[in-house]
Amino acid sequence: MISLQELCAGLPLSPLPQNKGRNNGVPHAPNRTPQLSAEEQRLALENSLRYFPPELHKTLAPEFADELRHYGHIYMYRFYPNLQMKAYPITQYPCKTQQAAAIMHMIMNNLDPAVAQFPQELVTYGGNGQVFSNWAQFWLVMHYLSEMTEEQTLVMYSGHPLGLFPSHSGAPRVVITNGMVIPNYSSRKDYEKMFALGVTMYGQMTAGSYCYIGPQGIVHGTVLTVLNAGRRYLGLDDLSGKVFVTSGLGGMSGAQAKAAAIVGCVGVIAEVDENALMKRHKQGWLMEVTNSLDGCIQRIRKAKKQKETLSLGYHGNIVDLWEKLAEEYEKTGELLVDLGSDQTSCHNPFSGGYYPVQLKLAEANELLCREPQIFHQLVHESLRRQVAAINKLADNGMFFWDYGNAFLLEAQRAGADVQKHGGRDTEFRYPSYVQHIMGDIFSLGFGPFRWVCTSADPSDLAATDQIATCALEDIIAQGVSDPVKKQYNDNIRWIQEAGKHDLVVGSQARILYSDQKGRVSIAVAINRAVAAGRVKGAVVISRDHHDVSGTDSPYRETSNIYDGSAFCADMAVQNFVGDSFRGATWVALHNGGGVGWGEVINGGFGLVLDGSQEAEERATRMLSWDVSNGVARRCWSGNQNAYDTIVRTMEENQNLRVTLPHAVKDKSVLSLALSLN
């Protein structure tokens, strides 16, 4: 095993590390099918060799060519580091600045095998959410961070470290862009080719921005979604005995099992990959597993009748499960499912994100590489079958929503019956969870705020949990509106119960949904606790890109914006730029994330709270912008919650002045004006 000091010394070239190939003891990403021409294969190989001196090219070229041939990408497995990949305490990193050490902590957490979906392919979650494109990039980034001063900024081009450039202490230490491709060339086919060439990368959201905190990051959002789905669709706060059926137990979707247990319903989650299913079972997030459809149905009946809290993993294809549930309804008239959704990686349906029901997993992976067009056809047929079964159940009382994974978008492209007649461009037969559930929460300014204790000490996390609880309680005591108070109380309860749910996987991190005032208050209080020594190490604050301002995504985050601007990306780009000069330690802007390549622009940040007065000022300034930007945009689109929120925020901050919309109250004015010649 090497040390962190050796890891940060640069690429190991003399001698070269032993080429051990792929580790069969960890899950691996599906093989990619970029369909490169002979000349493009030469270019991909030449591009990969740029990281190494010429005297090593004869040694490395054959093995890199072999990786390209067999896996569709050059990952450079030889350079997978021989050390325990995890988030080490910040003091152990050999750095010149604490900010750089904090970024190292976050990067290594994203690649921790306990956290990452495909660690050797540098994929954190979502099937293709890369931290870097290859292992040479990882080594170089760690070296640059170890050498960085506060007068330098590391520039990252889609996983590639362009270098350290002179800047200043107030600038971000790292600026990341992922997948910034000219729009006319931002197709899936173009992406597969450019990724194989090593010139671009799909960073998902928090994978490529180094801010992933394990499945806890989505557990809370899933809890809120299922709870509010129960309130909206079933009229219930208590979901005991209610059945929620969905799919996926991967890096993000694995949260569904834990969320079902927390809300107290019967959660049934289908997963084709036994490794992913057993990972969640061993983790304790999945209570039971079965590979029998009949056994699954029997268990649902029992749990529903006895109102058990249950998370049940079905090892099999979700289409089989939906069709079985529809068949049971036809035979018995018994509707066994109340709520339904889907969390396959449908943003990436033809490269292992969605497996067709007609094939076993191994057969599908083989066909995907050998006959991609036939695989494509089978995926479309499978999607049509899945939707047909869902429609049958929904027509008889089940409530279904799209979970922002492009399921309905891909089903529509497959020819499935998901059209909403008379609907807008972003509307389908079933709503997205943003349109019906989370959109109003975003418009109040609430979103997934998070922090990471870089000491790696659980006692620091416990201390920050208490600090956050007190901060939110103090705001409530000052007086807030009823909708805001409800959100605060939901999140206080979440924090108070977080410890017993064993949510930490990887870094000592916490997430909660908060608005601008709550985020600023929590950040300031944590920073002062660091200064006073009550929290022993620096704390990184961040958020999911899936937030109030961070993402422009017409089929998810901005699907409830109806003024025609849902397909515009000004908000996410402005957020990235605004965060960078208001105090963020690092910033990231991505093409793709959640619903897929070419479908979304999103960005994120990290900010190190080191106990200094400067850190407090940075956090106050940057977090205020990071929330108000999105609330102002949602206000301008006509959302009343956002209007009320931004007006209230302007009253509290005299330097904030937002252009407010004047609603057209008499709609007949429009018809009359358009009827005139």
Side-chain angles (χ1 to χ4, degrees), residues 112-337:
D112 181 343
V115 173
Q117 185 178 14
F118 305 124
Q120 282 206 303
E121 287 75 42
L122 303 105
V123 172
T124 300
Y125 71 91
N128 60 349
Q130 305 281 150
V131 186
F132 303 107
S133 180
N134 60 58
W135 285 105
Q137 294 172 349
F138 169 78
W139 284 88
L140 287 172
V141 166
M142 297 300 278
H143 177 61
Y144 278 134
L145 289 171
S146 71
E147 294 291 312
M148 173 190 288
T149 72
E150 292 190 355
E151 301 299 321
Q152 293 172 305
T153 292
L154 176 59
V155 176
M156 297 295 301
Y157 279 17
S158 293
H160 169 66
L162 192 66
L164 289 172
F165 288 80
S167 59
H168 56 85
S169 60
R173 297 281 67 80
V174 182
V175 174
I176 304 162
T177 51
N178 284 312
M180 291 292 108
V181 173
I182 306 302
N184 278 353
Y185 305 92
S186 192
S187 70
R188 277 195 189 125
K189 183 178 179 181
D190 290 323
Y191 167 71
E192 291 294 342
K193 182 176 293 187
M194 285 186 278
F195 181 58
L197 292 174
V199 296
T200 196
M201 189 183 87
Y202 187 76
Q204 268 284 2
M205 292 189 164
T206 53
S209 68
Y210 322 148
C211 292
Y212 190 64
I213 60 169
Q216 178 193 173
I218 195 174
V219 169
H220 186 33
T222 307
V223 166
L224 291 177
T225 299
V226 176
L227 274 177
N228 284 290
R231 290 165 179 165
R232 181 182 181 107
Y233 300 134
L234 306 177
L236 299 171
D237 283 312
D238 180 3
L239 292 181
S240 58
K242 300 302 177 184
V243 178
F244 170 48
V245 171
T246 182
S247 58
L249 287 165
M252 296 291 279
S253 54
Q256 297 179 112
K258 191 65 170 178
I262 292 173
V263 302
C265 70
V266 178
V268 185
I269 308 99
E271 172 59 63
V272 294
D273 185 348
E274 187 176 15
N275 288 327
L277 183 142
M278 294 312 297
K279 182 177 181 178
R280 297 304 174 204
H281 186 46
K282 290 175 184 175
Q283 207 172 40
W285 288 27
L286 196 60
M287 295 177 185
E288 298 177 18
V289 297
T290 181
N291 58 10
S292 164
L293 268 179
D294 289 335
C296 189
I297 296 299
Q298 290 173 12
R299 190 69 183 93
I300 291 171
R301 277 202 174 95
K302 180 182 176 184
K304 188 175 177 71
K305 182 178 180 180
Q306 297 181 359
K307 295 189 175 183
E308 294 180 57
T309 294
L310 174 67
S311 56
L312 173 64
Y314 167 61
H315 181 211
N317 197 290
I318 183 61
V319 182
D320 285 328
L321 180 56
W322 280 121
E323 289 181 339
K324 184 69 173 176
L325 288 163
E327 178 188 319
E328 288 295 314
Y329 178 78
E330 287 181 336
K331 286 195 310 186
T332 68
E334 183 181 11
L335 187 67
L336 291 173
V337 53

Side-chain angles (χ1 to χ4, degrees), residues 445 514-521 623-625 627-628 649 653:
S514 185
D515 60 355
Q516 176 180 323
K517 184 178 289 187
R519 297 185 205 202
V520 171
S521 297
L623 290 172
S624 297
W625 155 256
V627 177
S628 283
T649 307
N653 186 341

